[in-house]
Amino acid sequence: MKHEAELSIDFAACDGHGLCAELLPERIGLDEWGYPVLRDAAVPPALTDHARRAVAACPVLALRLTRTARRKARRAAPRR
Amino acid sequence: MNHDTTTAFAAEDLRVPNSARLLHGWFATGRATDLAEHLARYGPAPVGTARSTLADAVERAGLAGRGGGGFPTGRKLRTVAGRRGPAVVIANGMESEPASRKDETLLSLVPHLVLDGAVLAAAAAGANTVHLCVPRTRDEQAQRLALAVDERQHAGIDPVEVRVHMLPHHFVSSEETALVNWLNGGPARPRPTPPRPFEKGVGKRPTFVANVETLAHVALIARYGPDWFREAGSPQTPGTTLVTLSGAIASPGVYEVPMGSPVGQALAAAGGPTRRLSAVLAGGFFGSWLPVPLDPAAPARGAGVLVALPEDACGLAETAAALAYLGSQSARQCGPCRFGVPSVADDFAELAWGQPGPALTERLDRRLGLLPGRGACRHPDGAARLAASALQVFSDDVQRHVRYGPCSHARDPLVLAIPDARPPAEEEWR
Ligand SMILES: Cc1cc2nc3c(=O)[nH]c(=O)nc-3n(C[C@H](O)[C@H](O)[C@H](O)COP(=O)(O)O)c2cc1C
C-alpha cells in the first residue's frame, strides 16, 4: 500500500467555504463556483497532519479522511 | 421451479413476437392481465421455495438491473439477504426519465408480474414489507395498483405487506437514496453515500431497491429458471428488455427486445426510421448520442430508451433543451450540481441559439470535467455524459454554429419531448 489515508467530500453538506483548499493545496483546489476539487484522494504519511487540520477546519464537516492501509480490496457496491 | 412454459408462452400464437415475455399476454389478448388471468397463465408465485434458491436462480440467470445502472440483481439480493435483521424491498416504478414509458406500460399491462417479483424478492431477502413507489403525477395508475394489491391480499397469496406510495415526480426523486429518504419521512432528495440503501435504508434496515421491470423478470425466473431466461439475449447480456422508442420512427411505443440487441435492430422492431437519421439518443436524458450510421455491434443500453433524431433536426438544440431540464432538476444540495449543470446548460444554449465565440467550447470542456463524481448522486455525471456525447457526435454542427451562428433547424420544434424546466419549490420535494 502506497498511501494510508484517503480524502472524500460530502458534496451535499459542503457549502464552498474553501478552507480545505487553503489548508491542503497539495490535494484540493477550487472550481469556479468555489467548491473543492479533489486532485488526488490519496494522502501520503507526509501530508496526514495537514489533511487532519483541513478536516477539522471545515465548518460543516464535509471533508473526511479515512484510513485505507489495512483494508484490502474494496467490495464493489451497487451504484448507478 | 421449472414450471411448464407452454401455457404461459403459447408459441404457435402468430400475433405474439418471438421476443415477448413480459408483454406476451398483451400481444396474445390485447388487454391488461387481471389477477384471475395472471394466475391461470402463470400459477401462483413460488414464494415457498428456500430463501437462497431464488437469489441463486437470479444470479445464474445473469439478470442485470433494468433501472439504468445494470447492476447484477442476484448479487444485490444476496447482499441484502446476508445482512442482519429484517430487510425491506422497494419496487422503483418512478420512471423519471422523460422519454421512457416502459415502467408505466408494464405496471398497466402486467401489474401482477411486478408484484410477484417484489414479493418473491422480499421472501428471498427476508423482508416483510414491500414499498411500491410510483409518481404522484400518475395517480390513476397508483389507484389501480392499490386495488390490485388489495385483491391479492384478499386472495391470501402474498406473505408480506405491500404498500403503494405516490412520490413527487422530479428527475432525481427516483434515485434510490431519494426514495429511501422519502419513505423515512424526509424530502425525496438523494442523500450522500455511504450508507447505501442495502446497508441502511428504510427504517435503518437493509433495503433492496429494484426497478419494476427487473422485478417482473425475477417473477419469470422464479417460475421457469435461469436456463430458460438465458434462451433470449446473449451470454453476456441475457434475457429480454423493454425499450421505449420515439422520434422519427414508424410506430413509436414500448417494445420488448432481446437484451443487447443492436440499436438498428431495436429501431426495426418499431417499423424503422421514417426519415434519414443523424443520430440516436440511447438511454434517454441520462444516456448518450450515437452517430448514424450506427455501429452495427453497438447494443441498446441504458434505461431502455431510444430516440431517433432525423437529419433535419438540430442535435445541439435538442441537447441544450434537455440540459436545461436536467439543470432545473438538481436537488440543489451539491454545489457542483447546483451551479455546474445549469452553467453547462447555459453554455449549450449559447452554442445552439446564440453567438458562441471560440472560447465557448474550451469553457464547456473544462466545465464538463468538473461534474462527474462530485455529487451525492450521479445526476451531474449523467448530464455531463449527455453533453460530452453531443459535442462529439455533432462536432461538425458545433464548428458551424461557432462560425456562422444557429443553423436553420435550431428553432424548429424539438424531437425530444421535454418537460417544463422549472425548478421544484421547496415544499414540492415532500
Ligand atoms: C438521477 C437518477 C435518477 C434515477 N431514476 C430512476 C428511475 O426513474 N427508475 C429506476 O428504476 N431507477 C432510477 N435510478 C436508479 C436507482 O437509483 C436504482 O439504481 C435502481 O432503481 C435500482 O434498480 P435496478 O437494479 O433494478 O436497476 C436513478 C438514478 C439516478 C442517479
Side-chain angles (χ1 to χ4, degrees), chain A residues 80, chain B residues 65-67 76 92 95-96 171 174-176 210-211 214:
Chain A
R80 163 167 160 190
Chain B
R66 302 293 199 249
K76 185 153 65 173
N92 192 347
E95 194 165 48
S96 65
F171 192 80
S174 49
E175 192 269 344
E176 57 186 23
N211 172 258
T214 309

Side-chain angles (χ1 to χ4, degrees), chain B residues 231-286:
Chain B
E231 281 167 20
S234 70
Q236 293 76 36
T237 57
T240 61
T241 193
L242 298 179
V243 54
T244 310
L245 296 154
S246 64
I249 44 164
S251 309
V254 176
Y255 292 82
E256 185 170 7
V257 299
M259 187 77 176
S261 295
V263 171
Q265 213 167 300
L267 294 180
T274 50
R275 280 181 278 170
R276 285 170 63 100
L277 305 182
S278 62
V280 173
L281 178 59
F285 288 33
F286 230 80

